[in-house]
Amino acid sequence: IFAKYETVWDAVRVTLEELKMDIRLEDRSGGKIGTHIYEFSNPTLAAGDLAKFCTAPNLTDGTWAKARYEVESIIERLEGNEIQVTINATIGGLKRGFDLKETWVDCPSNGGLERRVYSRIGSKLMGTKYKPSEKEDFWDKSPTYVPGQKTGPDTMPKPDRRP
């Protein structure tokens, strides 16, 4: 990004706040902004929520009970007014074993959370002309057709009419 360091710093910080990420670390001279861990989800939705952000391993000895993430932003000066922003998301799931022991498991990010942050930062710095070149992420996708699934008014259950 070709902009002043302070402008980029402010855009990253405001973006994280707008996404409801609480700031835990601000080191302007070191170029780092870190967020607190954000825990979300419940046992019913945890596997689906994790799939939005990472590739969670399939569990054979338990279930997912919660999801969490934290974000670290690294803002570096390159040459002149060129600034590089790196967003790193650490994502994990709380595995609840059948013996009820709970363990946090790190899951590799699928890039969805990072793209969301980058997209917001880009819009702040470049305005409405900014169009990310990346593919749509989970939040931007339209529902997809499932073969064999019927839609429309003919799919409502009808009362049983016997003579």
Side-chain angles (χ1 to χ4, degrees), residues 120-135:
R120 294 269 183 110
I121 293 168
S123 295
K124 289 203 177 329
L125 294 172
M126 297 173 227
T128 57
K129 293 181 182 179
Y130 177 72
K131 298 286 185 204
S133 59
E134 291 289 325
K135 64 181 181 178

Side-chain angles (χ1 to χ4, degrees), residues 80-125:
N81 256 3
E82 189 176 4
I83 307 294
Q84 178 174 304
V85 176
T86 305
I87 305 296
N88 295 315
T90 303
I91 301 161
L94 182 63
K95 174 185 145 186
R96 182 173 293 146
F98 296 129
D99 59 358
L100 299 182
K101 288 183 183 175
E102 294 182 338
T103 309
W104 284 102
V105 178
D106 289 335
C107 303
S109 174
N110 63 15
L113 183 58
E114 294 91 332
R115 276 192 302 277
R116 203 165 162 219
V117 175
Y118 280 129
S119 179
R120 294 269 183 110
I121 293 168
S123 295
K124 289 203 177 329
L125 294 172

Side-chain angles (χ1 to χ4, degrees), residues 1-143:
I1 301 170
F2 289 95
K4 291 182 179 178
Y5 183 85
E6 293 74 23
T7 304
V8 175
W9 177 274
D10 291 342
V12 171
R13 189 179 197 299
V14 167
T15 297
L16 294 174
E17 288 175 340
E18 286 178 355
L19 291 171
K20 308 288 188 242
M21 298 181 188
D22 294 328
I23 307 295
R24 98 179 134 71
L25 166 75
E26 263 188 280
D27 179 6
R28 191 181 285 258
S29 62
K32 290 185 181 179
I33 301 175
T35 68
H36 285 283
I37 293 174
Y38 176 66
E39 288 185 18
F40 62 101
S41 199
N42 62 51
T44 307
L45 302 173
D49 286 342
L50 279 170
K52 295 175 186 175
F53 300 115
C54 69
T55 307
N58 291 327
L59 298 180
T60 58
D61 58 344
T63 59
W64 294 114
K66 281 188 180 181
R68 72 178 180 187
Y69 63 78
E70 67 179 317
V71 172
E72 180 184 56
S73 305
I74 301 168
I75 303 151
E76 301 172 279
R77 287 185 171 100
L78 299 179
E79 292 182 22
N81 256 3
E82 189 176 4
I83 307 294
Q84 178 174 304
V85 176
T86 305
I87 305 296
N88 295 315
T90 303
I91 301 161
L94 182 63
K95 174 185 145 186
R96 182 173 293 146
F98 296 129
D99 59 358
L100 299 182
K101 288 183 183 175
E102 294 182 338
T103 309
W104 284 102
V105 178
D106 289 335
C107 303
S109 174
N110 63 15
L113 183 58
E114 294 91 332
R115 276 192 302 277
R116 203 165 162 219
V117 175
Y118 280 129
S119 179
R120 294 269 183 110
I121 293 168
S123 295
K124 289 203 177 329
L125 294 172
M126 297 173 227
T128 57
K129 293 181 182 179
Y130 177 72
K131 298 286 185 204
S133 59
E134 291 289 325
K135 64 181 181 178
E136 293 179 324
D137 69 7
F138 178 85
W139 308 104
D140 299 321
K141 291 181 182 176
S142 298

